[in-house]
Amino acid sequence: MKILITNDDGIYSPGLHALAKMAKALGDVTIMAPDVERSSASHAITAHLPISYKTATVPVEGVQAFKTTGTPADCAALGTHLTKTDLVLSGINMGPNLGNAMWHSGTLAAAKQAVLLGVKGIALSTPVGKVPPDFDLLAPYVKETLDMLLEDDRLALYNVNFPPKPKGIKWTCQSVRLYDNQIVPAVDPMGRKHYWFTVIPLGPAEEGTDRWAVENGYVSITPLRLDLTDEKELQKRMQKTQKT
């Protein structure tokens, strides 16, 4: 199996290196990652400028690595163009991608771009606290999750989140609770104003969702699709049109 690994944290992320080491047991691994951090880049693509890449050195033996000037989605597109690819793994992101965060996640966007190009895509993330994630502790759950998702070769998109200390794996849906957008003002050392954008979930997570699973110590696997159509609304509108 030919595996392309990318992320949105950049080529020097320990989560990227950990995933590459784990994925070596599944096949031949190539890394194509942004040369700088591109967190929350969503599905941006570089359409107005050329992108380039060069070789990079990573602490993973036997893995060829490249860094690019592009976005996570660019990395997936460029990587699958340059090398034969059977699977794209994006992550392990240093921070969760749960609920509404799916909309702006560069990690998930790279996996989505892979599926748009006809390659199975899996995004993997884990929360980051005061200490770095223990990737050795997560490794058995990463293996079990990937084994489960690779049982068939169906084209599919998955969003996976690992709690710091997993106790099991659950299939989940996306949490769609509303968020409170906050703009936090601050001042830089030169006295110039700047602002931080942050969000706070409104209300507790619903049982059965990705947020609930991770908050309760379970690996969350959410199957996704590219079709964003609101089918119930579409059906209602079509029925109303037919009656008139």
Side-chain angles (χ1 to χ4, degrees):
M1 179 183 293
K2 303 291 186 181
I3 303 170
L4 177 70
I5 293 183
T6 188
N7 70 353
D8 71 358
D9 288 329
I11 190 69
Y12 303 110
S13 170
L16 179 82
H17 305 157
L19 181 57
K21 291 178 182 177
M22 299 174 198
K24 285 176 60 180
L26 299 173
D28 297 328
V29 174
T30 301
I31 293 174
M32 179 72 74
D35 56 1
V36 296
E37 184 174 348
R38 294 283 195 145
S39 294
S40 297
S42 189
H43 208 120
I45 58 173
T46 306
H48 61 290
L49 292 171
I51 59 175
S52 60
Y53 72 97
K54 59 179 66 175
T55 57
T57 301
V58 296
V60 187
E61 186 178 353
V63 171
Q64 192 172 27
F66 304 94
K67 57 184 178 181
T68 83
T69 57
T71 66
D74 290 335
C75 290
L78 182 60
T80 55
H81 171 77
L82 294 174
T83 64
K84 181 183 183 304
T85 304
D86 302 306
L87 171 68
V88 171
L89 302 178
S90 184
I92 297 172
N93 190 64
M94 303 289 282
N97 280 303
L98 300 163
N100 290 356
M102 289 189 198
W103 288 97
H104 58 76
S105 169
T107 304
L108 181 55
K112 286 191 294 181
Q113 182 64 40
V115 177
L116 285 169
L117 296 172
V119 179
K120 178 176 287 188
I122 303 174
L124 306 99
S125 306
T126 191
V128 177
K130 294 182 179 179
V131 296
D134 185 343
F135 292 112
D136 289 336
L137 187 153
L138 295 181
Y141 288 91
V142 174
K143 181 182 184 305
E144 184 177 354
T145 298
L146 292 179
D147 287 345
M148 184 188 310
L149 300 183
L150 297 177
E151 285 180 350
D152 63 74
D153 56 3
R154 183 178 61 89
L155 180 62
L157 174 64
Y158 298 102
N159 187 44
V160 183
N161 283 266
F162 299 88
K165 297 180 179 180
K167 61 183 181 182
I169 299 174
K170 287 190 178 293
W171 289 93
T172 62
C173 62
Q174 179 187 11
S175 174
V176 291
R177 286 290 171 92
L178 297 179
Y179 282 61
D180 182 16
N181 297 335
Q182 288 192 344
I183 303 296
V184 182
V187 179
D188 71 13
M190 302 297 291
R192 297 171 296 198
K193 288 184 177 180
H194 61 262
Y195 302 87
W196 289 94
F197 177 85
T198 186
V199 294
I200 300 174
L202 296 177
E206 318 93 301
E207 186 170 352
T209 65
D210 52 4
R211 278 182 55 213
W212 179 91
V214 172
E215 288 173 5
N216 286 275
Y218 293 98
V219 178
S220 164
I221 304 177
T222 306
L224 302 175
R225 65 180 187 179
L226 300 180
D227 183 358
L228 298 178
T229 305
D230 184 337
E231 294 176 347
K232 289 183 179 180
E233 179 67 13
L234 175 61
Q235 190 66 27
K236 183 178 72 174
R237 295 292 180 176
M238 292 176 64
Q239 291 174 350
K240 185 176 180 179
T241 301
Q242 291 170 358
K243 290 179 180 179
T244 59

